[in-house]
């Protein structure tokens, strides 16, 4: 997101000095990066857009002179590009510092909207159904920390009730019927990620929205707002907010080769869909997110969105074939010692994500990565990189046994990952596993 919490994983002290061709160099050893779910390098065309904006569009976008007018034009075009990427209109896009801010904006909006609707009802200006008690939020138990920790904070502060719906241990998806069963009269928001950052599992967001919209049509029912954090899906699979049926969709630049900036799609902000600012200032972004616009980063986000709109099928096809080749090579080398934690019956998976455990008593994920000479990857979301050697709670929630989860590696390929990269990584893993087993 400028999503700090699943950001670039500094794997056990390695220092990166270069990222030409998406490879990193350390001590004359060619490192191979497979942590694209954590963060992506910035595309050369995006760097150029940022650089040009820094040089030519340095003016305040609210001013009338040339540099300011250029900045305003860049921002307007970027808004169009980002909207096109997610199937929305330009006026539906609010630029934010990143995904964490966008998610917080939605969650705080839902609570504030509940309060305002219920206050109006008390004054005889509308219905009262659902206004007893605190606003109720439904989410899954595998959400990103910027959702999870925010709703936990709201709950602790006595501002909301929260239901964490567990994902199925068979499909690793949050099931539609479980979401529906959790709905209460005072439910004001459902927030379910579009794709999980560790398993790659794609959630049934469209089906959830269809069912909830039927509920919303009931007379005098408090409207349930619908949000998805699309951080991991954008740039990998087609994302259309209108088809999904969401009111809000979180956009995170550094997951699709843009800088660390984000945006929030809102279906008719302030008209069809409520949006309440968390910041107050000079009126930028139609007062929803004031603060002088960060023109260069917005330029970069717009260019990256344009590249996704133009090349998505090519990106998706390349990542899918590369990941399949990676899984085939891992299976061939490790045979019955391999366990894939990103394969679940009936669930669609992101085209680039391979979560895998190599089974053995000394083959914990952190230990394998520490001893790899070339592979740069992570054991899970980087926001949990400081949690020691505990197995990922995401994998445990998905039914992965603890001893298997402890050995997990999250390998996520990118647009530039080659089969030669895969061969080198698998050989690196083979040598590392041999080394650790010999030590044992």
């Amino acid at each position: 997101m400028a999503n700090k919490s699943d950001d670039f994983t500094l794997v056990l002290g390695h220092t990166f000095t270069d990222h030409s061709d998406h490879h990193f160099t350390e001590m004359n050893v060619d490192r191979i990066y497979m942590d694209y779910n954590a963060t992506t390098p910035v595309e050369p065309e995006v760097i150029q857009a940022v650089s040009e904006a820094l040089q030519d569009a340095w003016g305040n976008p609210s001013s009338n002179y040339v540099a300011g007018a250029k900045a305003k034009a860049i921002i307007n075009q970027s808004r169009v590009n980002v909207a096109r990427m997610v199937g929305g209109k330009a006026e539906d896009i609010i630029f934010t510092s990143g995904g964490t801010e966008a998610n917080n904006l939605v969650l705080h909006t839902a609570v504030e909207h509940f309060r305002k609707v219920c206050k109006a009802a008390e004054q005889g200006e509308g219905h009262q159904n659902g206004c007893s008690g605190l606003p109720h939020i439904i989410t899954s138990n595998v959400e990103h920390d910027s959702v999870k920790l925010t709703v936990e904070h709201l709950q602790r502060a006595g501002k909301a009730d929260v239901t964490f719906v567990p994902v199925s241990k068979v499909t690793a998806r949050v099931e539609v019927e479980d979401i529906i069963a959790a709905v209460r009269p005072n439910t004001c928001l459902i927030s379910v990620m579009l794709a999980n950052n560790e398993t790659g599992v794609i959630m049934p967001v469209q089906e959830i929205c269809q069912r909830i919209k039927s509920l919303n049509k009931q007379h005098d029912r408090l409207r349930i707002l619908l949000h998805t954090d699309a951080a991991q899906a954008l740039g990998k699979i087609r994302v259309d907010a209108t088809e999904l049926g969401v009111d809000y969709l979180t956009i995170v630049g550094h997951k699709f080769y843009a800088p660390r900036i984000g945006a929030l799609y809102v279906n008719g902000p302030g008209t069809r869909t409520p949006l309440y600012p968390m910041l107050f200032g000079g009126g930028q972004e139609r007062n929803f997110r004031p603060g002088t616009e960060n023109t260069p980063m917005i330029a970069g986000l717009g260019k990256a969105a344009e590249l996704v709109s133009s090349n998505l099928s090519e990106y998706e096809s390349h990542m899918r074939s590369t990941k399949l080749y990676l899984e085939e090579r891992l299976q061939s080398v490790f045979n019955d010692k391999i366990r894939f934690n990103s394969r679940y019956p009936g669930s669609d998976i992101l085209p680039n994500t391979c979560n895998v455990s190599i089974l053995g008593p000394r083959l914990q994920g952190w230990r394998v990565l520490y001893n790899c000479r070339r592979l740069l990857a992570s054991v899970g979301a980087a926001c949990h990189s400081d949690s020691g050697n505990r197995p990922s709670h995401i994998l445990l929630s998905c039914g992965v046994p603890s001893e298997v989860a402890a050995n997990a590696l999250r390998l996520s390929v990118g647009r530039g990952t080659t089969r030669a990269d895969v061969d080198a990584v698998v050989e690196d893993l083979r040598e590392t596993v041999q080394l650790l087993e010999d030590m044992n």
Side-chain angles (χ1 to χ4, degrees):
M1 296 185 173
N3 186 345
K4 224 168 165 185
S5 44
D6 192 24
D7 210 342
F8 193 52
T9 311
L10 296 179
V11 181
L12 299 159
H14 290 310
T15 303
F16 311 110
T17 58
D18 175 28
H19 66 262
S20 58
D21 295 324
H22 303 169
H23 290 239
F24 296 84
T25 304
E26 181 199 19
M27 296 171 60
N28 299 319
V29 177
D30 202 19
R31 311 293 298 203
I32 298 172
Y33 184 69
M34 283 196 181
D35 206 15
Y36 290 89
N37 282 8
T39 204
T40 55
V42 181
E43 285 281 12
E45 290 171 77
V46 174
I47 294 173
Q48 183 179 352
V50 171
S51 180
E52 289 175 358
L54 282 166
Q55 186 170 337
D56 302 329
W58 50 266
N60 191 315
S62 300
S63 60
N64 294 321
Y65 39 78
V66 172
K70 280 188 176 180
K72 191 69 171 177
I74 286 171
I75 291 167
N76 289 342
Q77 185 57 53
S78 294
R79 203 182 304 278
V80 169
N81 290 351
V82 173
R84 185 178 297 128
M85 177 179 68
V86 298
K89 302 182 181 70
E91 57 266 29
D92 296 332
I93 301 300
I94 311 294
F95 292 117
T96 67
S97 62
T100 293
E101 183 187 342
N103 285 341
N104 273 262
L105 191 52
V106 172
L107 294 162
H108 286 281
T109 283
V111 170
E112 178 68 6
H113 185 62
F114 178 92
R115 189 187 69 78
K116 290 201 170 185
V117 166
C118 292
K119 186 175 180 182
E122 284 173 15
Q123 296 169 351
E125 298 173 22
H127 66 78
Q128 282 187 300
N129 289 356
C131 280
S132 59
L134 295 172
H136 176 234
I137 297 170
I138 298 172
T139 189
S140 82
N141 68 337
V142 296
E143 296 296 315
H144 187 268
D145 273 357
S146 58
V147 170
K148 175 180 179 284
L149 297 181
T150 305
V151 296
E152 286 178 348
H153 165 75
L154 290 169
Q155 191 167 35
R156 280 195 309 272
K159 295 180 179 179
D161 283 333
V162 182
T163 299
F164 291 95
V165 175
V167 294
S168 161
K169 293 189 185 299
V170 175
T171 64
R173 307 192 323 169
V174 61
E175 299 297 348
V176 179
E177 294 303 329
D178 293 337
I179 293 286
I180 300 303
V183 171
R184 304 175 190 170
N186 58 329
T187 301
C188 65
L189 176 73
I190 295 172
S191 178
V192 174
M193 63 181 9
L194 192 49
N196 185 264
N197 48 325
E198 292 192 35
T199 63
V201 167
I202 299 169
M203 302 293 175
V205 171
Q206 184 174 14
E207 294 91 331
I208 291 169
C209 291
Q210 287 169 349
R211 293 288 298 278
I212 294 300
K213 286 190 171 181
S214 296
L215 281 180
N216 280 343
K217 289 176 183 174
Q218 293 178 7
H219 182 61
D220 275 354
R221 169 150 196 120
L222 185 74
R223 177 184 171 190
I224 303 171
L225 299 167
L226 297 157
H227 168 240
T228 192
D229 178 349
Q232 287 297 336
L234 288 165
K236 299 169 189 168
I237 60 173
R238 183 169 172 271
V239 175
D240 188 307
T242 307
E243 281 185 15
L244 289 171
V246 292
D247 298 304
Y248 310 96
L249 185 142
T250 295
I251 298 160
V252 180
H254 76 94
K255 305 295 188 182
F256 57 93
Y257 295 75
R260 287 182 174 89
I261 181 175
L264 180 66
Y265 160 89
V266 185
N267 182 15
T271 54
R272 288 186 301 277
T273 304
L275 189 65
Y276 298 100
M278 292 195 300
L279 306 174
F280 298 87
Q284 295 87 352
E285 293 300 290
R286 289 156 286 165
N287 274 318
F288 295 121
R289 204 286 183 182
T292 303
E293 298 91 338
N294 190 345
T295 307
M297 297 299 101
I298 291 172
L301 188 69
K303 175 54 72 172
E306 180 187 329
L307 292 173
V308 169
S309 296
S310 301
N311 304 305
L312 179 61
S313 59
E314 178 188 328
Y315 295 157
E316 183 176 1
S317 174
H318 172 77
M319 286 187 285
R320 191 179 304 280
S321 65
T322 305
K323 181 190 79 166
L324 289 173
Y325 181 67
L326 171 63
E327 292 181 343
E328 288 166 8
R329 294 290 298 120
L330 288 168
Q331 187 77 68
S332 172
V333 168
F334 294 104
N335 298 309
D336 57 355
K337 288 173 60 176
I338 204 88
R339 157 77 189 259
F340 291 100
N341 307 313
S342 48
R343 291 180 178 176
Y344 297 92
S347 291
D348 292 327
I349 308 293
L350 289 173
N352 80 316
T353 304
C354 170
N355 195 306
V356 64
S357 296
I358 304 169
L359 306 180
R362 284 187 57 83
L363 302 181
Q364 290 82 13
W366 66 268
R367 184 173 276 127
V368 171
L369 287 178
Y370 183 81
N371 286 279
C372 280
R373 292 179 65 252
R374 303 191 67 183
L375 172 63
L376 299 176
S378 63
V379 295
C383 49
H384 303 132
S385 61
D386 60 353
S387 62
N389 306 329
R390 296 192 301 275
S392 159
H393 81 275
I394 300 290
L395 295 183
L396 297 177
S397 297
C398 296
V400 177
S402 179
E403 66 277 11
V404 177
N407 288 24
L409 304 171
R410 183 183 68 176
L411 307 177
S412 47
V413 303
R415 298 172 187 174
T417 309
T418 65
R419 290 194 169 204
D421 292 334
V422 170
D423 290 338
V425 160
V426 173
E427 178 60 19
D428 192 20
L429 285 169
R430 189 194 66 75
E431 290 175 355
T432 301
V433 167
Q434 185 69 55
L435 171 74
L436 292 172
E437 289 181 334
D438 288 348
M439 287 169 60
N440 194 36

